[in-house]
Amino acid sequence: VAKVLPRMSSYSTLEYDLSTGKRGTRDSKVRKLLRSLSGAEDAMVVNNNAAAVFLMLKALTTSLKEDKIPEVIVSRGELVEIGGSFRIPDIMREAGVKLVEVGTTNRCRISDYEQALTENTAALLKVHPSNYEIQGFTESVSVRKMAELAHTKGLFCFHDWGSGSFYRFKQRGLSEYATAEQELAAGPDLLAFSGDKLLGGIQAGVLLGKADNIQKLRKHALYRALRLDKVTLGLLEETLEAYLDLKRLPEQVPTVGLLELTVEEIRKTVKLFLKRLKLPNKSALKCELRKTESRTGGGALPELPIESAALVLSHPEWSANDLQEWFRSQPVPIIVRVHEEQIWLDFRTILPHDSDELMSVITRLI
């Protein structure tokens, strides 16, 4: 933010090409960065991932006759609803396409997609189940197989990835999460994902894919309503530039840095915090270091546990809910977790520059 603010408070070359002295495109730098980081032929950004999915469905499924409604095939197990009541079926309806459900909630095969093809089929859509998991007797179809089927029939294959990154995490569990380059290698015509979440940037919707498909999206009338403003573009540029130096990335992008912390590093931070707190021997407030598990959160891998360490607080005169409300009511609100009638502060989520404020708040309880 500090790097972007000077640009935001002065004249901007947002749509001015300095090399030619003529009108340029506002996202030229972001497009160049996205192409370099992903290996995609072309790229574009809109104001969030829901907008990205809506635009690709609206703009690329209009080749049928006027009296025909384009059909898009989706697995029943991928008809997601995420925060804010964003539902895939609603987005598809508003985009003017007919949803064709295949498979069952827990199992879907490539033959299900094949049997659902009609003369009105426009695309196959893969949706990442970003905020839930289906476990047990399950089966799903890879993007690669879906793309192969779509392309043999002259159809599009779209992938709503939800949350993406250009960085291969070292953290156990997260290390299995693919990069954007790997996802594109599976062959989807367009890949859509968020500019925040795992990427760690500003809210935006990233679209990567074939140049001719991206150009069709850019020329669609809806793009002007969904494009990013200069502040958001500036912040996204800074985040993407950080990905050019993967060795320093955890230092530059807090989301990546926090996710990559080892449990040993976190335990050391909690111990240092307790030492600085200097809790009196007769204090009613009890503070202790306990092991815990972090979650990446919805939009990525909601059920993936990451080993962490927490500061656990309790007070004989305060219930856990009372303490929770008290922390939340501070000038700088602190959001805690209640577990076993105690307050838990997962130190993976504590930014270094917030440590002093947290110390000040807890001190007021002593």
Side-chain angles (χ1 to χ4, degrees), residues 325-343:
E325 291 178 9
W326 186 83
F327 273 103
R328 206 168 53 233
S329 68
Q330 298 306 297
V332 177
I334 298 174
I335 310 303
V336 302
R337 178 164 59 93
V338 174
H339 179 60
E340 297 177 345
E341 273 303 302
Q342 294 173 310
I343 295 298

Side-chain angles (χ1 to χ4, degrees), residues 171-172 258-270 289-295 304-312 337 344-350:
Q171 185 70 253
R172 186 172 60 86
L258 294 174
L259 287 171
E260 287 288 60
L261 287 173
T262 65
V263 67
E264 290 77 17
E265 290 171 325
I266 300 170
R267 287 178 61 86
K268 183 178 179 180
T269 301
V270 180
L289 166 63
R290 300 273 290 275
K291 65 179 181 180
T292 189
E293 291 180 342
S294 303
R295 291 289 192 275
L304 174 68
I306 303 176
E307 192 177 3
S308 187
L311 180 64
V312 180
R337 178 164 59 93
W344 291 62
L345 287 160
D346 182 352
F347 261 60
R348 183 182 296 281
T349 67
I350 308 297

Side-chain angles (χ1 to χ4, degrees), residues 224-281:
R224 186 173 183 85
L226 302 175
R227 67 184 186 178
L228 298 186
D229 63 273
K230 66 178 182 180
V231 176
T232 306
L233 278 170
L235 292 168
L236 184 58
E237 284 174 14
E238 289 298 327
T239 300
L240 295 177
E241 284 187 334
Y243 276 84
L244 296 176
D245 185 355
L246 294 181
K247 290 184 178 180
R248 296 186 63 237
L249 181 65
E251 303 170 22
Q252 301 298 314
V253 179
T255 298
V256 176
L258 294 174
L259 287 171
E260 287 288 60
L261 287 173
T262 65
V263 67
E264 290 77 17
E265 290 171 325
I266 300 170
R267 287 178 61 86
K268 183 178 179 180
T269 301
V270 180
K271 288 179 179 179
L272 181 60
F273 186 90
L274 282 169
K275 186 176 180 179
R276 289 177 55 211
L277 186 59
K278 297 179 180 178
L279 198 66
N281 291 332

Side-chain angles (χ1 to χ4, degrees), residues 59-128:
L60 295 180
T61 59
T62 56
S63 59
L64 297 178
K65 297 179 180 178
E66 290 185 5
D67 61 336
K68 300 291 185 180
I69 299 176
E71 297 176 355
V72 176
I73 306 174
V74 188
S75 168
R76 282 191 175 88
E78 298 172 3
L79 296 177
V80 304
E81 175 180 331
I82 62 172
S85 298
F86 164 63
R87 290 180 169 182
I88 283 291
D90 294 343
I91 292 294
M92 295 177 70
R93 182 175 60 252
E94 294 298 325
V97 302
K98 179 182 177 181
L99 164 64
V100 178
E101 303 175 33
V102 295
T104 61
T105 303
N106 60 315
R107 291 179 72 83
C108 189
R109 305 178 181 86
I110 193 66
S111 58
D112 293 317
Y113 290 92
E114 292 172 332
Q115 292 167 15
L117 295 172
T118 72
E119 60 179 9
N120 296 330
T121 303
L124 276 58
L125 174 63
K126 180 73 172 179
V127 183
H128 185 281

Side-chain angles (χ1 to χ4, degrees), residues 146-265:
M146 289 177 61
E148 289 173 355
L149 172 61
H151 296 158
T152 59
K153 304 296 182 180
L155 305 172
F156 289 114
C157 177
F158 301 142
H159 186 189
D160 173 9
W161 195 19
S163 181
S165 180
F166 306 104
Y167 172 72
R168 191 74 173 187
F169 284 89
K170 299 178 180 64
Q171 185 70 253
R172 186 172 60 86
L174 276 175
S175 61
E176 300 171 10
Y177 202 80
T179 64
E181 185 175 14
Q182 290 172 316
E183 289 296 322
L184 284 172
D189 295 286
L190 283 176
L191 177 68
F193 59 95
S194 295
D196 48 7
K197 300 186 176 72
L198 278 184
L199 191 64
I202 193 75
Q203 177 180 292
V206 178
L207 282 154
L208 306 174
K210 301 290 185 181
D212 56 343
N213 293 330
I214 294 293
Q215 284 305 310
K216 289 175 183 177
L217 300 189
R218 296 180 70 85
K219 292 177 180 179
H220 197 279
L222 265 177
Y223 173 53
R224 186 173 183 85
L226 302 175
R227 67 184 186 178
L228 298 186
D229 63 273
K230 66 178 182 180
V231 176
T232 306
L233 278 170
L235 292 168
L236 184 58
E237 284 174 14
E238 289 298 327
T239 300
L240 295 177
E241 284 187 334
Y243 276 84
L244 296 176
D245 185 355
L246 294 181
K247 290 184 178 180
R248 296 186 63 237
L249 181 65
E251 303 170 22
Q252 301 298 314
V253 179
T255 298
V256 176
L258 294 174
L259 287 171
E260 287 288 60
L261 287 173
T262 65
V263 67
E264 290 77 17
E265 290 171 325

